[in-house]
Coordinates of all heavy atoms in Angstrom, one line a residue:
I148 N -26.3 7.4 35.5 CA -24.8 7.5 35.4 C -24.3 6.6 34.3 O -23.3 6.9 33.7 CB -24.2 7.2 36.8 CG1 -22.7 7.5 36.8 CG2 -24.3 5.7 37.1 CD1 -22.4 8.8 37.2
N149 N -24.9 5.4 34.1 CA -24.4 4.6 33.0 C -24.6 5.2 31.6 O -23.8 4.9 30.7 CB -25.1 3.2 33.1 CG -24.6 2.4 34.2 OD1 -23.5 2.5 34.7 ND2 -25.5 1.5 34.8
L150 N -25.7 6.0 31.4 CA -25.9 6.7 30.2 C -24.8 7.7 29.9 O -24.2 7.8 28.8 CB -27.2 7.4 30.2 CG -27.6 8.1 28.9 CD1 -27.7 7.2 27.7 CD2 -28.9 8.9 29.1
A151 N -24.4 8.4 31.0 CA -23.3 9.4 30.8 C -21.9 8.6 30.5 O -21.2 9.1 29.7 CB -23.1 10.2 32.1
R152 N -21.7 7.5 31.1 CA -20.5 6.7 30.8 C -20.5 6.3 29.4 O -19.4 6.3 28.7 CB -20.4 5.5 31.8 CG -20.0 5.9 33.2 CD -20.0 4.7 34.1 NE -19.7 5.0 35.4 CZ -19.8 4.2 36.4 NH1 -20.2 2.9 36.2 NH2 -19.6 4.6 37.7
G153 N -21.6 5.8 28.9 CA -21.7 5.4 27.5 C -21.4 6.5 26.5 O -20.8 6.3 25.5
I154 N -22.0 7.7 26.8 CA -21.8 8.8 26.0 C -20.3 9.3 26.0 O -19.8 9.6 24.9 CB -22.7 10.0 26.4 CG1 -24.2 9.6 26.1 CG2 -22.3 11.3 25.7 CD1 -25.2 10.6 26.7
V155 N -19.7 9.3 27.1 CA -18.3 9.6 27.2 C -17.4 8.6 26.5 O -16.5 9.0 25.7 CB -17.9 9.7 28.7 CG1 -16.3 9.8 28.8 CG2 -18.5 10.9 29.4
L156 N -17.8 7.3 26.6 CA -17.0 6.3 25.9 C -17.1 6.5 24.4 O -16.1 6.4 23.6 CB -17.6 4.9 26.2 CG -16.9 3.8 25.5 CD1 -15.4 3.7 25.8 CD2 -17.7 2.5 25.8
I157 N -18.3 6.8 23.9 CA -18.5 7.0 22.4 C -17.7 8.3 22.0 O -17.1 8.2 20.9 CB -20.0 7.1 22.1 CG1 -20.7 5.8 22.3 CG2 -20.2 7.6 20.7 CD1 -22.2 5.8 22.2
L158 N -17.8 9.3 22.8 CA -17.0 10.5 22.4 C -15.5 10.3 22.4 O -14.8 10.8 21.5 CB -17.3 11.7 23.4 CG -18.8 12.2 23.3 CD1 -19.0 13.3 24.4 CD2 -19.0 12.8 21.9
L159 N -15.0 9.5 23.3 CA -13.6 9.2 23.4 C -13.2 8.3 22.2 O -12.1 8.5 21.6 CB -13.2 8.5 24.7 CG -13.2 9.4 25.9 CD1 -13.0 8.5 27.2 CD2 -12.2 10.5 25.8
I160 N -14.0 7.4 21.8 CA -13.7 6.6 20.6 C -13.7 7.4 19.4 O -12.8 7.3 18.5 CB -14.8 5.4 20.5 CG1 -14.6 4.4 21.6 CG2 -14.7 4.7 19.1 CD1 -15.6 3.3 21.7
I161 N -14.6 8.3 19.2 CA -14.7 9.2 18.1 C -13.4 10.1 18.1 O -12.8 10.3 17.0 CB -15.9 10.1 18.0 CG1 -17.1 9.2 17.7 CG2 -15.9 11.2 17.0 CD1 -18.5 9.8 17.9
A162 N -13.0 10.6 19.2 CA -11.8 11.5 19.3 C -10.6 10.7 19.0 O -9.7 11.1 18.2 CB -11.7 12.0 20.7
F163 N -10.5 9.4 19.4 CA -9.3 8.6 19.1 C -9.3 8.3 17.6 O -8.2 8.4 17.0 CB -9.5 7.2 19.8 CG -8.4 6.2 19.4 CD1 -7.1 6.3 19.9 CD2 -8.7 5.2 18.5 CE1 -6.2 5.4 19.5 CE2 -7.8 4.3 18.1 CZ -6.5 4.4 18.6
L164 N -10.4 8.0 17.0 CA -10.4 7.8 15.5 C -10.0 9.0 14.8 O -9.3 9.0 13.7 CB -11.7 7.2 15.1 CG -12.1 5.8 15.6 CD1 -13.5 5.4 15.2 CD2 -11.0 4.8 15.1
G165 N -10.5 10.2 15.2 CA -10.1 11.4 14.6 C -8.6 11.7 14.7 O -8.0 12.1 13.7
I166 N -8.0 11.5 15.8 CA -6.6 11.7 16.0 C -5.8 10.7 15.2 O -4.8 11.1 14.5 CB -6.2 11.7 17.5 CG1 -6.8 12.9 18.2 CG2 -4.7 11.6 17.6 CD1 -6.6 12.8 19.7
W167 N -6.3 9.5 15.1 CA -5.6 8.5 14.3 C -5.6 8.8 12.8 O -4.6 8.7 12.1 CB -6.3 7.1 14.6 CG -5.7 6.0 13.8 CD1 -4.6 5.3 14.2 CD2 -6.1 5.5 12.5 NE1 -4.3 4.3 13.2 CE2 -5.2 4.4 12.2 CE3 -7.1 5.8 11.6 CZ2 -5.3 3.7 11.0 CZ3 -7.2 5.1 10.5 CH2 -6.3 4.1 10.2
A168 N -6.8 9.3 12.4 CA -6.9 9.7 10.9 C -6.0 10.9 10.6 O -5.4 11.0 9.6 CB -8.4 10.0 10.6
W169 N -6.0 11.8 11.6 CA -5.1 13.0 11.4 C -3.6 12.6 11.3 O -2.9 13.1 10.4 CB -5.4 14.0 12.5 CG -4.4 15.1 12.6 CD1 -4.4 16.2 11.8 CD2 -3.3 15.2 13.4 NE1 -3.3 17.0 12.1 CE2 -2.6 16.4 13.1 CE3 -2.8 14.4 14.5 CZ2 -1.5 16.8 13.8 CZ3 -1.6 14.8 15.1 CH2 -1.0 16.0 14.8
A170 N -3.2 11.8 12.2 CA -1.8 11.4 12.3 C -1.4 10.6 11.1 O -0.2 10.7 10.6 CB -1.5 10.6 13.6
W171 N -2.2 9.7 10.5 CA -1.9 8.9 9.4 C -2.3 9.5 8.0 O -2.1 8.8 7.0 CB -2.5 7.5 9.6 CG -1.8 6.7 10.6 CD1 -2.1 6.6 11.9 CD2 -0.6 5.9 10.4 NE1 -1.2 5.8 12.6 CE2 -0.3 5.3 11.6 CE3 0.1 5.5 9.3 CZ2 0.8 4.5 11.8 CZ3 1.2 4.7 9.4 CH2 1.5 4.2 10.7
S172 N -2.7 10.7 8.0 CA -3.1 11.3 6.7 C -1.8 11.5 5.9 O -0.7 11.8 6.4 CB -3.8 12.6 6.9 OG -3.0 13.6 7.5
K173 N -1.9 11.5 4.6 CA -0.8 11.6 3.7 C -0.1 13.0 3.7 O 1.0 13.1 3.5 CB -1.2 11.3 2.2 CG -1.5 9.8 2.1 CD -1.5 9.4 0.6 CE -1.9 8.0 0.4 NZ -0.8 7.1 0.6
K174 N -0.9 14.0 4.1 CA -0.3 15.4 4.1 C 0.6 15.6 5.3 O 1.4 16.5 5.3 CB -1.4 16.4 4.1 CG -2.3 16.4 5.3 CD -3.4 17.5 5.1 CE -4.3 17.5 6.3 NZ -5.3 18.5 6.2
R175 N 0.6 14.7 6.3 CA 1.5 14.7 7.4 C 2.8 14.1 7.2 O 3.7 14.2 8.0 CB 0.8 14.1 8.7 CG -0.5 14.6 9.0 CD -0.5 15.9 9.9 NE 0.4 15.6 11.0 CZ 1.0 16.6 11.7 NH1 0.9 17.8 11.3 NH2 1.8 16.3 12.7
K176 N 2.9 13.3 6.1 CA 4.2 12.5 5.9 C 5.4 13.3 5.8 O 6.4 13.0 6.4 CB 4.0 11.6 4.6 CG 5.1 10.7 4.4 CD 4.8 9.7 3.3 CE 6.0 8.8 3.1 NZ 5.7 7.8 2.1
P177 N 5.4 14.5 5.1 CA 6.7 15.3 5.1 C 7.1 15.8 6.5 O 8.3 15.8 6.8 CB 6.3 16.4 4.1 CG 5.2 15.9 3.3 CD 4.4 15.0 4.2
E178 N 6.1 16.1 7.3 CA 6.5 16.6 8.6 C 7.0 15.5 9.5 O 8.0 15.7 10.2 CB 5.2 17.2 9.3 CG 4.7 18.5 8.6 CD 3.4 19.0 9.3 OE1 3.3 18.9 10.5 OE2 2.6 19.5 8.5
F179 N 6.5 14.3 9.4 CA 7.0 13.2 10.1 C 8.3 12.8 9.7 O 9.2 12.4 10.4 CB 6.0 12.0 10.1 CG 4.8 12.2 11.0 CD1 3.5 11.9 10.5 CD2 4.9 12.7 12.2 CE1 2.4 12.0 11.3 CE2 3.8 12.8 13.0 CZ 2.5 12.5 12.6
H180 N 8.6 12.9 8.3 CA 9.9 12.5 7.8 C 10.9 13.5 8.3 O 12.1 13.1 8.7 CB 9.9 12.5 6.3 CG 11.2 12.2 5.7 ND1 11.8 10.9 5.8 CD2 12.1 13.0 5.1 CE1 13.0 11.0 5.3 NE2 13.2 12.2 4.8
A181 N 10.6 14.8 8.3 CA 11.5 15.8 8.8 C 11.8 15.6 10.3 O 13.0 15.7 10.8 CB 11.0 17.2 8.6
A182 N 10.8 15.2 11.1 CA 11.0 15.0 12.5 C 11.8 13.7 12.7 O 12.6 13.7 13.7 CB 9.6 14.8 13.2
S183 N 11.7 12.7 11.9 CA 12.5 11.5 12.0 C 14.0 11.7 11.7 O 14.8 11.0 12.2 CB 11.9 10.4 11.1 OG 12.2 10.6 9.8
M184 N 14.3 12.8 11.0 CA 15.7 13.0 10.6 C 16.4 13.9 11.7 O 17.6 14.1 11.6 CB 15.8 13.7 9.3 CG 15.2 12.9 8.1 SD 16.0 11.3 8.0 CE 17.6 11.8 7.3
L185 N 15.6 14.5 12.7 CA 16.2 15.3 13.7 C 17.4 14.7 14.4 O 18.4 15.4 14.7 CB 15.2 15.8 14.6 CG 14.2 16.9 14.1 CD1 13.1 17.2 15.1 CD2 15.0 18.2 13.8
P186 N 17.3 13.4 14.9 CA 18.5 12.9 15.6 C 19.7 12.8 14.8 O 20.8 12.7 15.3 CB 18.0 11.5 16.0 CG 16.5 11.5 15.9 CD 16.2 12.5 14.9
L187 N 19.6 12.8 13.5 CA 20.8 12.6 12.6 C 21.4 14.0 12.2 O 22.5 14.0 11.6 CB 20.4 11.9 11.3 CG 19.8 10.5 11.5 CD1 19.3 10.0 10.2 CD2 20.7 9.6 12.2
E188 N 20.8 15.1 12.5 CA 21.3 16.4 12.1 C 22.6 16.7 12.9 O 22.7 16.4 14.1 CB 20.3 17.5 12.4 CG 19.2 17.5 11.4 CD 18.2 18.7 11.6 OE1 18.5 19.5 12.5 OE2 17.3 18.8 10.8
E189 N 23.5 17.4 12.2 CA 24.7 17.9 12.8 C 24.3 19.3 13.5 O 23.2 19.7 13.4 CB 25.8 18.1 11.8 CG 26.2 16.9 11.1 CD 27.0 15.9 12.0 OE1 27.6 16.4 13.0 OE2 27.0 14.8 11.7
D190 N 25.3 19.9 14.2 CA 25.0 21.2 14.8 C 24.6 22.3 13.9 O 23.9 23.2 14.2 CB 26.2 21.6 15.6 CG 26.5 20.7 16.8 OD1 25.5 20.1 17.3 OD2 27.6 20.7 17.3
D191 N 25.1 22.2 12.6 CA 24.7 23.2 11.6 C 23.4 23.0 10.9 O 23.0 23.7 10.0 CB 25.8 23.4 10.6 CG 26.1 22.1 9.9 OD1 25.5 21.1 10.2 OD2 27.0 22.2 9.0
G192 N 22.7 21.9 11.3 CA 21.4 21.6 10.7 C 21.4 20.7 9.5 O 20.4 20.5 8.9
K193 N 22.6 20.2 9.1 CA 22.7 19.4 7.9 C 22.7 17.9 8.3 O 23.2 17.5 9.4 CB 23.9 19.7 7.2 CG 24.0 21.1 6.6 CD 25.3 21.3 5.8 CE 25.3 22.7 5.3 NZ 26.6 23.0 4.7
V194 N 22.0 17.1 7.5 CA 22.0 15.6 7.7 C 23.2 15.0 7.0 O 23.4 15.3 5.8 CB 20.7 15.0 7.3 CG1 20.7 13.5 7.4 CG2 19.5 15.6 8.0
P195 N 24.1 14.2 7.6 CA 25.2 13.7 6.9 C 24.8 12.7 5.9 O 23.8 12.1 6.0 CB 26.0 13.0 8.0 CG 25.0 12.7 9.1 CD 24.0 13.8 9.0
S196 N 25.6 12.6 4.8 CA 25.3 11.7 3.7 C 25.6 10.2 4.2 O 26.2 10.0 5.2 CB 26.2 12.0 2.5 OG 27.5 11.8 2.8
D197 N 25.2 9.3 3.4 CA 25.4 7.8 3.7 C 26.9 7.5 3.8 O 27.3 6.6 4.6 CB 24.8 6.9 2.7 CG 23.3 6.9 2.8 OD1 22.8 7.3 3.9 OD2 22.6 6.5 1.8
D198 N 27.8 8.2 3.1 CA 29.2 7.9 3.1 C 29.8 8.3 4.4 O 30.7 7.6 4.9 CB 29.9 8.7 2.0 CG 29.4 8.2 0.6 OD1 28.9 7.1 0.5 OD2 29.6 9.0 -0.4
A199 N 29.3 9.3 5.1 CA 29.9 9.8 6.3 C 29.4 9.1 7.5 O 29.9 9.2 8.6 CB 29.7 11.3 6.5
T200 N 28.4 8.2 7.4 CA 27.8 7.6 8.6 C 28.5 6.3 9.0 O 28.2 5.8 10.0 CB 26.3 7.2 8.3 OG1 26.2 6.4 7.2 CG2 25.5 8.5 8.1
G201 N 29.4 5.8 8.1 CA 30.1 4.6 8.5 C 29.2 3.3 8.4 O 29.3 2.5 9.3
N202 N 28.3 3.3 7.5 CA 27.4 2.2 7.4 C 27.9 1.0 6.6 O 27.1 0.1 6.2 CB 26.0 2.6 6.9 CG 26.1 3.2 5.5 OD1 27.2 3.2 4.9 ND2 25.0 3.6 4.9
G203 N 29.2 0.9 6.4 CA 29.8 -0.2 5.7 C 30.0 0.0 4.2 O 30.7 -0.8 3.5
K204 N 29.6 1.1 3.7 CA 29.9 1.5 2.3 C 31.1 2.3 2.2 O 31.1 3.5 2.2 CB 28.7 2.2 1.7 CG 27.4 1.4 1.6 CD 26.3 2.2 1.1 CE 25.0 1.5 1.1 NZ 23.9 2.3 0.6
N205 N 32.3 1.7 2.2 CA 33.5 2.4 2.2 C 34.4 2.3 1.0 O 35.5 2.6 0.9 CB 34.3 2.1 3.5 CG 34.6 0.6 3.6 OD1 34.4 -0.1 2.6 ND2 35.2 0.2 4.7
D206 N 33.8 1.7 -0.1 CA 34.4 1.6 -1.4 C 35.7 0.8 -1.3 O 36.7 1.2 -2.0 CB 34.7 3.0 -2.1 CG 33.4 3.7 -2.3 OD1 32.4 3.0 -2.7 OD2 33.4 4.9 -2.2
G207 N 35.8 -0.2 -0.5 CA 37.0 -1.1 -0.4 C 38.1 -0.5 0.5 O 39.1 -1.2 0.8
K208 N 37.9 0.6 1.0 CA 38.9 1.2 2.0 C 38.6 0.6 3.4 O 37.5 0.4 3.7 CB 38.8 2.7 2.1 CG 39.1 3.4 0.7 CD 38.8 4.9 0.9 CE 38.9 5.5 -0.5 NZ 38.6 6.9 -0.4
T209 N 39.7 0.4 4.1 CA 39.4 -0.1 5.5 C 39.4 1.1 6.5 O 40.0 2.1 6.3 CB 40.6 -1.0 5.9 OG1 41.8 -0.3 5.9 CG2 40.7 -2.3 5.1
Q210 N 38.5 0.9 7.4 CA 38.3 1.9 8.4 C 39.2 1.5 9.7 O 39.5 0.3 9.8 CB 36.9 2.0 8.9 CG 36.0 2.5 7.8 CD 34.5 2.6 8.2 OE1 34.2 2.1 9.3 NE2 33.7 3.2 7.4
A211 N 39.5 2.4 10.5 CA 40.4 2.2 11.6 C 39.7 1.2 12.5 O 38.5 1.4 12.9 CB 40.6 3.5 12.4
G212 N 40.4 0.1 12.8 CA 39.9 -0.9 13.8 C 39.0 -1.9 13.2 O 38.5 -2.8 13.9
T213 N 38.8 -2.0 11.8 CA 37.9 -3.0 11.2 C 38.7 -4.1 10.6 O 38.4 -5.2 10.9 CB 37.0 -2.3 10.2 OG1 37.7 -1.7 9.2 CG2 36.0 -1.3 10.8
K214 N 39.7 -3.8 9.8 CA 40.5 -4.8 9.1 C 41.9 -4.4 9.1 O 42.2 -3.2 9.1 CB 40.0 -5.0 7.6 CG 38.6 -5.6 7.5 CD 38.3 -5.8 6.0 CE 37.0 -6.4 5.8 NZ 36.7 -6.6 4.4
E215 N 42.8 -5.4 8.9 CA 44.2 -5.0 8.8 C 44.7 -5.4 7.5 O 44.3 -6.2 6.8 CB 45.0 -5.8 9.9 CG 44.7 -5.3 11.3 CD 45.5 -6.0 12.3 OE1 46.6 -6.6 12.0 OE2 45.1 -6.0 13.4

């Protein structure tokens, strides 16, 4: 039984390393980038620009509730 456990352990390590290599390969980067942008998409499928996100780049204009 210990021989079977050892073989299963080795197979699981090989499977883990294979999945790790697949996930971190350079050809997967565009797919992961597209998936990372999904939470930012509007209902029409467009990602808002930096100006519309309210990240502090307002070109000197004050936003409602920030400065008087």
